[in-house]
Amino acid sequence: MAPDHTPTPPLVFTPRPSAPPPPSTVGVMGWLRANLFSSVPNTILTFLGAYILYVFLEAIISWALINAVWEAPNRRACLDAVGRSGACWPGVIAWLPNLIYGLYPKDQVWRIDLGALILVLWALPLFLPRVKSKIAIGLTAVLVYPFLVSYLFLGGEKGWIWMVLVAGSLATFFWVWLTAISEMRTGLPFLALLVRTLAGPDPIPERARLVRQLAWAALFVTALVIVSRWQLVEVPTRLWGGLFLTMVISGIGITFSLPAGVMLALGRRSSMPLIRGFCVAFIELFRSVPLITILFMFNTMLPLFLPVGVEVDRLLRAIVAVCLFAAAYMAEIVRGGLQAIPKGQYEAAAAMGLGYWQSTTLIILPQALKIMIPAIVGNFIGLFKDTTLVSIIGLFDMLSMARAVGEDTRWLGLFIEPFFFITMIYFVFCFAMSQYSMNLERRLGGGQRR
Amino acid sequence: MSSSTSTAPPRASFLNDAGVRAFVYQAAVFLAVTGLFYYLISNTITNMSQRNMSAGFDFLDVSAGFNIAFTLIPYREGDSYLRVFQVGIANTLLVAVIGIVFATIIGLIVGLARLSTNWLIATLARWYIEVLRNTPLLLQIIAWYFGVFNLLPRPRESIDWGGLFFLNNRGFYMPGPVPQEGFGWTLAALLVAILGAVLIVTWSNRRRRATGRIFPGGTVATALIILLPLAVFYGSGAPLTWDWPTLRGFNFVGGISVPPAFCALVVALSIYTSCFIAEIVRAGIQSVAHGQTEAARALGVKPSRTMRFIILPQAMRVIIPPLISQYLNLTKNSSLAIAIGFPDLVSVWMNTSLNQSGRAIPIVAMTMAFYCVVSLAVSGLLNLYNRRMQLTER
């Protein structure tokens, strides 16, 4: 047989395409099979769960939407129309302004809206991508904004102290937006940009400082001119209420509790026995009693503690109590963060020649606070929920307002609907906060993940 | 100056000496705090003398003169303020204990459901937790009270469970046991049985650790606790009768009854706290590395024993401390009872008694002392537990 000269093709392994996965493990059916119907008990559980979900959703939807009454002059009309099988929303709608603003005078409500708008505007640069001075802006939002807004809400006669504080606060607000705009357009903070345009790219430090001071002075004078032109009607705090009051109390509590908690935690870890003793006593006392007892205590005892004739506003008593309570809890959270920082960090900071405050503020606290973000936000959520307790000592927060609906003669006995409504408000706020903290944790934790 | 050589370190300024600074700071803080207290106390004394108030504890023997809607321990209208304080503590502790039991049971179930491989069950559990823990407890308590327990039918149309338990807008009614003569023997038997059970469990654990042989200590102990008192009970002629709640006139009489405020408080507290407990249980079980289960299986340990001897002890170490602090939170939160008029400590003592007697300082101090004692005692026990359970690190 003649040798076949045609060269045999080299043996090449050509893989056959892999078989598709069995249809029972992919797609909707596969997912259903794996997650809902993997075994007999699992299937039973699925049906049980589906039944519970159905009963629950059906009840809620038919009560809140399908059978609900949307327009009625009073509760009697609602009851005549659907009885108890449907919600009576007109009561909630009629009371909506009170649920949100409390008894704040109707013609002054724009001040609350303006305050909220300024907060949004103040915090907006924090979410803009090219703004670099986020820490400074964030700090001013927490530390400076309250002065502006507290005058806006309180109103009344301005003394010169108020005037200066409010003008300074407004000037800072201008600075925030000028900085945000200049950083987005040129990448430089506003003041640095101003220094460069007026004093050249490499100015002598004295001149640079002069430019900065003049810029601040100009901002301040502008603000002062604006501020001196408005005079707002005084709204006494006993008229404050609703969601607005809830926000005020929890906002002040949050603002105060973080720095105070940090100081208390540092004091508790201090090597000086007396300072440590005071901090431990304060923290343990406020953490071991319920908030309501502290509120009661301040409500009855604060007038006794102060000199004869000094009247303390009811709202102020509640705010003091909430702040101290929140600070004690925050201190324990921060302490947890401080303890989680490895000893090497302290030692390295000391080896670099940093003193106590430098190593604490530059090395330790940034790391500690980053670890504690979930717990800190959790504490904020707790504080926000706990502000409902002020209704017990007679302030008209959102919960008191919701209870007042059912005591209104037109809507007598209407309790479930307003409760349902404010439950949803509380839930939206708290849930948003907790989701945001998870998001923050994921973004900041990037360096920790391996 | 010239005498300082390179061997002797340059003398630091007196102001930079750490010891001196520490002393100065502490002295400053001490003076500030003392000054603050002096200021507050002197103001208080002036204020109190102006308003003719007194700070003494002598009012404790005075008759309080008001009635309390629900008391665990006997109380009559003429009893002293001290008795009111005791009634308040008893009611607070009752709510706390019952709430803790229910919260633990619900929390355990929801926590396990959250870990379920069944997607629907896990999702339901997740949303149960999210919704309930993101709304204020006070709102929940009030909603349960006004929205549920106050809208129940009147006593005549009570919700009836087998003629034993009744639920209506006046409260919850159940049969109450009335011990007859000789019932003490059963109680004694129960005590002996519990003691014996503890001994058996300790002994079997010790033997297991020493020899590896397993004795069903748990089963035997449970049997002992159930069977011994039962035997004594019937042996002594079943000396116990029941007081049945019966409808008479407009309401039920007899049996044990609790007011709607109590029901609302317990339900709201247990449901709210159960969310936190569920998350603790989930975190605890997830904290045990899966390798532990696999290692146990590789060694041939039975699944039931894997859970009992390997997973649970490790999970418990993570679960117990936050669980206890949730129990403490529940106890403190029970003070919200005041919003719905249940007579707990804060409500009868810090509110009613304070308003009646005007003795703000002793009353506030006693209330705070009670909560401080409870929470310091619990955290002391917890520290003891933590020290025992702490992992010994290399």
Side-chain angles (χ1 to χ4, degrees):
Chain A
M1 206 158 128
D4 189 358
H5 282 289
T6 51
T8 48
L11 222 57
V12 176
F13 173 68
T14 46
R16 273 187 296 169
S18 47
S24 61
T25 61
V26 290
V28 179
M29 286 312 288
W31 184 87
L32 283 179
R33 195 177 278 249
N35 289 303
L36 294 178
F37 303 105
S38 60
S39 62
V40 175
N42 225 341
T43 309
I44 295 172
L45 273 182
T46 301
F47 281 119
L48 188 71
Y51 176 71
I52 293 172
L53 192 66
Y54 168 76
V55 169
F56 189 71
L57 283 184
E58 200 269 338
I60 293 243
I61 289 174
S62 72
W63 176 78
L65 297 175
I66 297 173
N67 290 336
V69 178
W70 294 93
E71 272 174 42
N74 53 37
R75 181 148 188 260
R76 195 68 261 155
C78 282
L79 288 179
D80 289 342
V82 292
R84 289 187 182 277
S85 68
C88 181
W89 293 122
V92 177
I93 296 167
W95 273 75
L96 196 59
N98 294 69
L99 287 174
I100 293 173
Y101 302 113
L103 305 174
Y104 213 82
K106 294 275 174 295
D107 55 337
Q108 298 295 321
V109 156
W110 61 270
R111 281 154 62 172
I112 298 175
D113 298 335
L114 182 64
L117 182 71
I118 293 178
L119 179 62
V120 171
L121 286 180
W122 206 307
L124 191 63
L126 298 177
F127 300 92
L128 295 177
R130 292 179 58 195
V131 177
K132 288 192 207 112
S133 318
K134 282 190 176 144
I135 294 179
I137 294 176
L139 279 180
T140 58
V142 172
L143 299 176
V144 181
Y145 166 76
F147 294 109
L148 180 61
V149 85
S150 50
Y151 177 69
L152 192 59
F153 293 159
L154 267 173
E157 198 67 38
K158 294 193 283 275
W160 66 270
I161 299 181
W162 255 128
M163 190 91 102
V164 169
L165 286 176
V166 173
S169 186
L170 192 62
T172 318
F173 179 57
F174 294 152
W175 170 82
V176 165
W177 267 96
L178 289 171
T179 302
I181 292 171
S182 82
E183 278 180 355
M184 275 202 301
R185 301 197 60 127
T186 64
L188 271 179
F190 168 66
L191 290 175
L193 184 72
L194 207 62
V195 168
R196 201 158 84 173
T197 22
L198 293 182
D202 201 12
I204 43 173
E206 285 79 27
R207 254 187 102 183
R209 202 182 308 139
L210 186 70
V211 171
R212 281 165 191 270
Q213 282 167 353
L214 282 178
W216 269 113
L219 281 178
F220 182 74
V221 169
T222 321
L224 203 60
V225 169
I226 298 175
V227 169
S228 60
R229 291 188 167 231
W230 19 269
Q231 170 77 23
L232 295 169
V233 187
E234 186 176 353
V235 181
T237 54
R238 67 190 151 76
L239 297 181
W240 296 22
L243 178 62
F244 161 61
L245 185 72
T246 301
M247 295 299 234
V248 166
I249 296 176
S250 51
I252 295 177
I254 287 169
T255 311
F256 176 83
S257 70
L258 195 55
V262 168
M263 294 313 291
L264 280 171
L266 290 176
R268 192 171 184 166
R269 283 171 63 78
S270 158
S271 56
M272 298 180 239
L274 208 60
I275 291 183
R276 194 172 58 226
F278 281 134
C279 291
V280 169
F282 178 89
I283 294 171
E284 291 302 328
L285 177 69
F286 276 87
R287 273 167 50 86
S288 60
V289 298
L291 175 57
I292 186 68
T293 59
I294 298 177
L295 282 170
F296 265 127
M297 185 183 105
F298 276 89
N299 208 20
T300 51
M301 311 253 283
L302 209 57
L304 291 182
F305 283 157
L306 294 173
V308 182
V310 176
E311 274 296 309
V312 200
D313 192 275
R314 260 182 125 67
L315 177 63
L316 196 63
R317 298 180 205 170
I319 287 177
V320 170
V322 166
C323 282
L324 296 181
F325 183 77
Y329 274 80
M330 191 59 81
E332 282 302 272
I333 290 173
V334 176
R335 182 168 76 117
L338 292 176
Q339 276 172 345
I341 306 296
K343 214 164 169 236
Q345 296 286 329
Y346 291 90
E347 288 164 354
M352 302 284 285
L354 298 183
Y356 175 77
W357 288 108
Q358 280 175 317
S359 61
T360 304
T361 50
L362 298 175
I363 312 283
I364 307 300
L365 274 182
Q367 300 184 60
L369 291 178
K370 201 154 92 178
I371 315 176
M372 298 321 292
I373 281 179
I376 289 175
V377 177
N379 198 29
F380 287 169
I381 295 177
L383 185 60
F384 186 72
K385 290 187 294 178
D386 279 345
T387 53
T388 47
L389 267 62
V390 301
S391 65
I392 297 179
I393 57 162
L395 294 176
F396 295 108
D397 79 321
M398 193 157 55
L399 182 59
S400 316
M401 281 293 155
R403 276 179 87 161
V405 178
E407 284 152 16
D408 181 355
T409 43
R410 279 172 68 201
W411 308 103
L412 206 60
L414 191 74
F415 287 115
I416 302 180
E417 287 85 349
F419 286 155
F420 188 82
F421 178 72
I422 65 167
T423 302
M424 288 203 300
I425 293 184
Y426 277 111
F427 175 72
V428 167
F429 275 101
C430 296
F431 189 65
M433 270 197 270
S434 75
Q435 294 299 307
Y436 181 67
S437 100
M438 278 196 225
N439 173 22
L440 213 57
E441 192 187 356
R442 227 170 292 137
R443 269 192 303 172
L444 291 178
Q448 303 289 323
R449 224 176 292 124
R450 271 166 253 274
Chain B
M1 273 299 175
S2 57
S3 67
S4 72
T5 60
S6 57
T7 50
R11 269 187 79 84
S13 157
F14 169 74
L15 286 175
N16 282 337
D17 185 74
V20 174
R21 282 194 163 201
F23 179 78
V24 171
Y25 289 148
Q26 294 189 71
V29 169
F30 180 75
L31 283 180
V33 173
T34 329
L36 180 71
F37 269 92
Y38 174 76
Y39 175 73
L40 296 181
I41 290 172
S42 65
N43 279 335
T44 311
I45 291 172
T46 329
N47 277 314
M48 289 198 349
S49 65
Q50 266 201 356
R51 302 180 194 187
N52 286 325
M53 289 164 75
S54 142
F57 285 88
D58 49 317
F59 72 104
L60 287 176
D61 303 327
V62 176
S63 163
F66 56 84
N67 208 355
I68 299 179
F70 173 83
T71 61
L72 180 65
I73 54 177
Y75 171 85
R76 279 176 300 107
E77 205 172 314
D79 281 347
S80 66
Y81 276 110
L82 187 64
R83 189 66 180 169
V84 174
F85 183 60
Q86 292 163 351
V87 165
I89 287 180
N91 283 354
T92 290
L93 290 179
L94 178 72
V95 170
V97 168
I98 297 181
I100 283 171
V101 171
F102 282 121
T104 312
I105 296 171
I106 305 172
L108 193 64
I109 294 172
V110 176
L112 293 176
R114 184 94 164 74
L115 288 172
S116 165
T117 52
N118 187 313
W119 176 85
L120 187 63
I121 296 292
T123 312
L124 277 179
R126 179 173 168 231
W127 283 100
Y128 171 88
I129 294 170
E130 291 289 5
V131 169
L132 288 166
R133 77 167 175 189
N134 280 322
T135 44
L137 172 62
L138 182 60
L139 176 57
Q140 292 185 27
I141 292 176
I142 291 178
W144 277 105
Y145 183 65
F146 285 107
V148 178
F149 286 97
N150 254 3
L151 299 183
L152 288 174
R154 284 169 301 163
R156 283 181 182 285
E157 294 103 42
S158 293
I159 303 169
D160 177 348
W161 285 293
L164 297 175
F165 303 97
F166 301 93
L167 189 63
N168 56 45
N169 63 1
R170 301 281 188 86
F172 177 70
Y173 299 82
M174 59 184 166
V178 183
Q180 305 293 315
E181 205 175 332
F183 189 68
W185 289 109
T186 311
L187 287 184
L190 184 67
L191 214 65
V192 169
I194 290 174
L195 214 68
V198 170
L199 284 178
I200 287 175
V201 170
T202 323
W203 170 78
S204 77
N205 279 350
R206 200 168 293 159
R207 196 180 73 144
R208 194 189 70 236
R209 276 191 217 115
T211 65
R213 276 181 297 167
I214 289 175
F215 176 79
T219 323
V220 172
T222 318
L224 186 67
I225 289 181
I226 295 174
L227 292 179
L228 184 66
L230 218 59
V232 173
F233 178 67
Y234 283 108
S236 60
L240 184 72
T241 54
W242 292 90
D243 182 15
W244 306 95
T246 43
L247 188 64
R248 194 169 303 157
F250 289 110
N251 206 354
F252 280 88
V253 286
I256 297 176
S257 67
V258 287
F262 179 90
C263 301
L265 189 63
V266 166
V267 169
L269 280 174
S270 359
I271 287 185
Y272 181 77
T273 313
S274 76
C275 298
F276 295 90
I277 293 181
E279 286 295 271
I280 291 168
V281 168
R282 178 180 71 97
I285 292 178
Q286 280 182 339
S287 74
V288 182
H290 197 61
Q292 299 280 329
T293 319
E294 287 164 357
R297 276 171 74 179
L299 289 170
V301 182
K302 279 199 295 188
S304 60
R305 286 189 187 158
T306 309
M307 195 61 183
R308 234 182 90 196
F309 295 125
I310 292 165
I311 310 293
L312 271 188
Q314 299 186 65
M316 275 315 194
R317 202 185 343 241
V318 180
I319 290 175
I320 296 270
L323 186 67
I324 302 288
S325 78
Q326 282 305 324
Y327 289 168
L328 215 51
N329 276 350
L330 189 147
T331 310
K332 287 190 276 174
N333 284 337
S334 69
S335 59
L336 297 181
I338 186 172
I340 52 172
F342 178 75
D344 81 319
L345 180 63
V346 171
S347 165
V348 295
W349 188 243
M350 216 171 179
N351 196 35
T352 317
S353 298
L354 195 151
N355 289 340
Q356 289 232 343
S357 69
R359 304 293 178 97
I361 292 175
I363 283 183
V364 168
M366 280 171 82
T367 318
M368 294 210 155
F370 165 74
Y371 285 106
C372 278
V373 165
V374 169
S375 69
L376 290 183
V378 171
S379 59
L381 285 178
L382 200 59
N383 283 344
L384 216 65
Y385 172 86
N386 278 342
R387 209 164 303 144
R388 257 189 65 188
M389 293 311 252
Q390 218 161 37
L391 284 179
T392 332
E393 290 193 355
R394 278 153 292 177

